[in-house]
Amino acid sequence: MPDESLSNPDRSCAARFLSALIPQIDNPEDAEFLRGLLLLGSALFTLTLLAYACTTNWTWPFPRDNVTLVLGRDFLNLWMYGHAVLDADPARFYDLVTYNAELAKLLGPGYPGQNWPNPPTALVVMAPFGLLAYFPALIAWFVASFLAFYLAGRREVADARILVVVLVSPAALLCVISGQSSLLTTAALLAIFASLDRRPVVAGVLIGLLTVKPQLGVLFPFALIASGRWRVFLWAAMTTIVLFAISVAIGGPESWHDYIAKALPLQREVLSDPAGTAMPFQASIFMNVRGLVGNRAGEAIQFAFALAAVVTVTIAFRYCGGGDARLLQALFLACTVSTSPYLGSYDLLPLSFASVALLAEGKLDATGRRLAQLVFWTPALQLLFGNLQIPGPGFIAPVFAAYLLQRLFAPAVPGKAAASLPLADSALRS
């Protein structure tokens, strides 16, 4: 028979190229799932970025996308924290009218309304980027983000190509388009879990820094207390106090007053908007149920899920600390997604990483593979369902958490002890 690669060289080259991109996994079923995520994710990622680039008005110095938002739309807010460090009264930017007037000076009149959503500790963390002009700062932001993600992620996986699967996920796509912090926060979360036992000071400091996005670290106190990691807890508390003190030194006590009195109520208004404009971009329980049951009942349901997440993390870290570390890490991240009513879809990137890593390490059964697949696509599903005002995608993370908890408590199968994380020599202990 003739060699197919000789009769169809283009197909052979394409096959070799795709084969080189796909991680080498022993289990054929896991490999098939990863192959599907990579190919479909890459297609969505590439086509979306091309469409975004083609519909952007590349007028210098501030290119605008098709909804007139500046390139790196969310990074603009983050950069303004660093920029405001040199302002005589940074707290004034928590006032919506004042902040948008300041943006108008920079970008011209008519820019879509923005608000300052982060706590004043962002003044400290973003200060280095505020020393640069906007676009050099945006480039530095992306370079630092991708480098941090690669360095933290590479220590977690056996094959670097697994990181490519994560980087073409819908969560990563939304992060790149918006200029968000998800790559950095994912790197921080991975480094925290890698350092819990071996470098408690590093873990504690990173947890403290994560208070800039409090919805991502809200469960750490419960996990640390339940597992008896008091050194990590102490360093996290000290770092938080130092960040708070520096932010007060920069912005004054009124910065925290204005954050609580102005920024937080505004975030609640955005989530409670009767038109549901934020629903496509917020994969939380609250945003998935409020259209059916109303805001009050939605808040009660979200609180119930948050309480369940706290109990789940506490039990898991107290009684399953010696279990599979990857499952425990993924459970923590799934519970984190289930806790906050205010959670951008790009913030699912850490959980996307954990689900892909579980697939790559062969730690999921048939049900787990399907759930990991759904986790990967949650941001895209939320965008689709949210625009149609249909609930659903926000429940994927809690269901995945329930599955992972069951796996942690399941009796060990003789001869198939779960492998520990590549980066952690000691298992997470109680």
Side-chain angles (χ1 to χ4, degrees):
M1 293 181 64
D3 189 341
E4 187 177 352
S5 65
L6 294 177
S7 61
N8 194 347
D10 291 338
R11 181 178 178 182
S12 176
C13 290
R16 287 198 299 268
F17 177 74
L18 290 175
S19 178
L21 288 178
I22 296 171
Q24 297 302 307
I25 306 298
D26 293 334
N27 188 317
E29 292 179 319
D30 293 323
E32 187 61 30
F33 270 84
L34 285 176
R35 183 180 298 108
L37 296 181
L38 176 64
L39 296 180
L40 292 177
S42 297
L44 176 65
F45 193 96
T46 303
L47 292 174
T48 303
L49 283 188
L50 284 174
Y52 185 77
C54 292
T55 56
T56 294
N57 181 3
W58 294 96
T59 304
W60 200 255
F62 290 104
R64 304 287 187 89
D65 61 22
N66 63 341
V67 292
T68 72
L69 291 170
V70 70
L71 206 67
R73 54 179 73 176
D74 287 354
F75 178 73
L76 176 64
N77 280 340
L78 295 171
W79 177 75
M80 284 295 290
Y81 281 94
H83 193 61
V85 169
L86 302 177
D87 193 272
D89 181 21
R92 67 192 179 94
F93 293 140
Y94 282 115
D95 178 76
L96 193 62
V97 175
T98 302
Y99 182 56
N100 283 283
E102 193 69 20
L103 291 181
K105 293 178 184 177
L106 180 69
L107 303 170
Y111 191 73
Q114 304 287 302
N115 68 297
W116 248 22
N118 294 86
T121 47
L123 292 166
V124 185
V125 176
M126 295 305 299
F129 296 95
L131 298 175
L132 302 172
Y134 177 73
F135 275 102
L138 180 62
I139 293 171
W141 176 254
F142 275 124
V143 170
S145 297
F146 279 103
L147 181 61
F149 175 83
Y150 174 79
L151 292 176
R154 188 64 188 91
R155 299 184 64 187
E156 290 259 347
V157 297
D159 189 335
R161 289 172 293 185
I162 295 169
L163 298 180
V164 178
V165 181
V166 181
L167 285 173
V168 298
S169 67
L173 173 62
L174 291 174
C175 172
V176 170
I177 288 178
S178 63
Q180 260 291 342
S181 59
S182 307
L183 289 165
L184 278 174
T185 53
T186 300
L189 286 163
L190 296 179
I192 287 167
F193 278 93
S195 305
L196 281 175
D197 293 321
R198 298 175 61 183
R199 295 179 293 276
V201 175
V202 172
V205 170
L206 289 174
I207 291 172
L209 291 173
L210 208 57
T211 56
V212 173
K213 293 200 74 168
Q215 66 268 41
L216 298 183
V218 66
L219 294 180
F220 271 115
F222 303 99
L224 296 177
I225 292 172
S227 59
R229 291 184 172 87
W230 297 106
R231 286 188 65 194
V232 180
F233 185 94
L234 178 62
W235 278 100
M238 289 193 300
T239 302
T240 303
I241 292 170
V242 169
L243 274 178
F244 173 81
I246 298 175
S247 69
V248 170
I250 294 172
E254 58 272 16
S255 62
W256 280 94
H257 173 271
D258 289 349
Y259 170 68
I260 295 171
K262 297 179 180 180
L264 291 181
L266 186 58
Q267 289 181 22
R268 185 175 182 181
E269 287 181 22
V270 170
L271 294 181
S272 303
D273 177 17
T277 53
M279 186 175 175
F281 312 102
Q282 301 279 337
S284 66
I285 295 296
F286 173 75
M287 291 304 292
N288 273 256
V289 301
R290 61 173 289 274
L292 294 178
V293 301
N295 290 329
R296 289 289 183 87
E299 289 173 354
I301 293 171
Q302 176 67 74
F303 178 78
F305 273 86
L307 185 60
V310 169
V311 173
T312 298
V313 166
T314 301
I315 291 174
F317 274 76
R318 178 66 184 90
Y319 297 106
C320 299
D324 187 283
R326 180 72 76 195
L327 289 173
L328 194 59
Q329 179 193 62
L331 173 66
F332 178 92
L333 297 173
C335 286
T336 297
V337 172
S338 309
T339 301
S340 174
Y342 189 88
L343 192 86
S345 292
Y346 40 74
D347 286 323
L348 271 75
L349 186 59
L351 183 58
S352 297
F353 181 98
S355 63
V356 169
L358 284 169
L359 274 172
E361 293 172 12
K363 295 183 176 180
L364 300 176
D365 56 19
T367 300
R369 293 187 193 101
R370 287 298 179 191
L371 288 172
Q373 187 182 43
L374 287 172
V375 165
F376 183 91
W377 291 110
T378 294
L381 293 172
Q382 184 63 37
L383 192 63
L384 173 62
F385 282 52
N387 277 306
L388 298 174
Q389 302 292 303
I390 300 175
F395 292 96
I396 293 173
V399 172
F400 193 45
Y403 165 82
L404 293 169
L405 185 65
Q406 180 270 328
R407 294 280 288 184
L408 279 167
F409 275 97
V413 179
K416 293 187 178 181
S420 62
L421 283 173
L423 51 85
D425 293 332
S426 57
L428 297 176
R429 50 181 170 74
S430 59

